[in-house]
Amino acid sequence: MLKWVLDLGMAVLLAGLEVAALAAFVFAESMKKWARSGGSVPGETSRFLLALGGGSTSSALISWSLCRLDLPVACGTQAVVSALLAALLILGAGTEGGRRIRRYRYRRRLRRERRQWHDAQHEN
């Protein structure tokens, strides 16, 4: 009975701490954005991806150690939290990667058009 109470308590406590830490991080980042009057904050995406990666990794390690301690509910809860953070990390990295690819292709097209215009001016 005591083991089940400990197991459920650890599950709730650790999941609550993960949510509170992520909420505090998002709040701090939004305060930075608010201080700049809604402008972009340098390194915002990299900090977000780093926080998600660190959170996912730490949740996975905590889940592994809880399984070793034979606390199945807490282990399962941390595994789910780790999977959710990893999914957010993949979505965030994919979005940022797509944004960078679009920006690169747009700049490359502009350079090509400028070069063509410049060559056409010299031919006349």
Side-chain angles (χ1 to χ4, degrees):
M1 176 71 179
L2 180 63
K3 188 173 182 178
W4 278 103
V5 171
L6 176 66
D7 192 16
L8 290 174
M10 288 293 288
V12 170
L13 177 71
L14 291 174
L17 286 174
E18 291 275 344
V19 169
L22 189 59
F25 174 76
V26 169
F27 177 74
E29 287 296 315
S30 63
M31 290 303 288
K32 289 178 188 175
K33 195 170 201 97
W34 175 76
R36 292 184 63 110
S37 300
S40 64
V41 179
E44 178 181 13
T45 304
S46 61
R47 281 191 305 275
F48 181 67
L49 295 178
L50 183 65
L52 287 178
S56 177
T57 304
S58 66
S59 290
L61 289 173
I62 291 169
S63 174
W64 177 77
S65 62
L66 289 171
C67 286
R68 301 274 298 178
L69 293 174
D70 198 29
L71 298 172
V73 176
C75 174
T77 304
Q78 284 301 301
V80 168
V81 168
S82 178
L84 289 174
L85 290 175
L88 284 175
L89 176 65
I90 290 168
L91 287 174
T95 302
E96 181 62 21
R99 187 177 300 134
R100 286 182 185 216
I101 289 170
R102 281 192 307 273
R103 188 181 317 133
Y104 170 76
R105 293 180 75 188
Y106 176 71
R107 288 178 179 171
R108 190 174 70 178
R109 183 176 60 88
L110 286 178
R111 281 193 301 267
R112 186 175 52 240
E113 288 174 359
R114 279 192 219 116
R115 198 175 315 118
Q116 288 172 353
W117 181 84
H118 186 71
D119 292 342
Q121 293 298 317
H122 283 291
E123 289 176 3
N124 292 332

